Amino acid sequence: MTTIDFSNPKPFVYTPKTLLRAERSLICSPFDLSLFTAMRTQSVSVSAIAMEKGVKQGYTKRPLSELNCDNAFDWLIEVGVLRREVDGQGITDGFRLTPLGHQVLEKITENNWRTPSWSDRLNNAITRWFRLPF
């Protein structure tokens, strides 16, 4: 009989393309590093990010509507960086980082949050528009 050691979980292994796409999606998003840092330890709701609240909290550079926040989060969910929080009643308006999101955020914070290049923005837009798997 094989026993499983849950006290020392092994990290997920992602392909370099997956990690690059995830990093690019984070830096091209309308959100700041402080939002993703907060999501490391807690769920953050759209209402805490939308409009002036997001700017005041340091989560966004400019006010975003709830619809813009939700659309940006939907893309980050599709990329695999975020997940919606679920409670006993169902899906909530809160979001958290996934294991992929944790790995990418760790890499970004070690190497400093960078401004996306035009190439990053173009690649992210094309990948998002066509929903390419890389």
Side-chain angles (χ1 to χ4, degrees):
M1 179 191 269
T2 306
T3 59
I4 300 173
D5 182 12
F6 290 108
S7 64
N8 190 12
K10 294 181 182 178
F12 290 102
V13 178
Y14 300 99
T15 66
K17 283 184 179 181
T18 299
L19 292 167
L20 179 62
R21 182 179 75 161
E23 179 180 347
R24 193 171 43 233
S25 70
L26 281 180
I27 64 171
C28 290
S29 76
F31 308 113
D32 284 336
L33 177 62
S34 61
L35 173 62
F36 301 115
T37 302
M39 286 181 173
R40 273 183 163 168
T41 58
Q42 64 189 9
S43 173
V44 180
S45 70
V46 171
S47 60
I49 303 162
M51 305 310 290
E52 293 298 326
K53 288 181 185 178
V55 176
K56 288 178 184 174
Q57 300 240 28
Y59 292 160
T60 63
K61 295 177 184 70
R62 60 183 169 74
L64 299 170
S65 69
E66 283 193 18
L67 180 61
N68 285 342
C69 288
D70 209 42
N71 287 337
F73 283 152
D74 284 346
W75 173 240
L76 295 174
I77 288 170
E78 193 166 327
V79 170
V81 175
L82 294 182
R83 65 177 171 86
R84 282 192 183 270
E85 279 289 292
V86 180
D87 64 8
Q89 303 298 313
I91 295 176
T92 68
D93 74 338
F95 295 85
R96 278 186 171 267
L97 290 175
T98 62
L100 173 61
H102 282 279
Q103 283 186 26
V104 171
L105 189 61
E106 186 175 313
K107 178 185 175 215
I108 288 175
T109 54
E110 286 175 2
N111 299 329
N112 296 325
W113 181 266
R114 66 183 174 86
T115 303
S117 67
W118 284 105
S119 173
D120 288 326
R121 291 186 190 280
L122 181 62
N123 282 325
N124 188 61
I126 290 170
T127 303
R128 188 173 180 176
W129 179 263
F130 292 109
R131 298 298 199 247
L132 299 174
F134 49 87

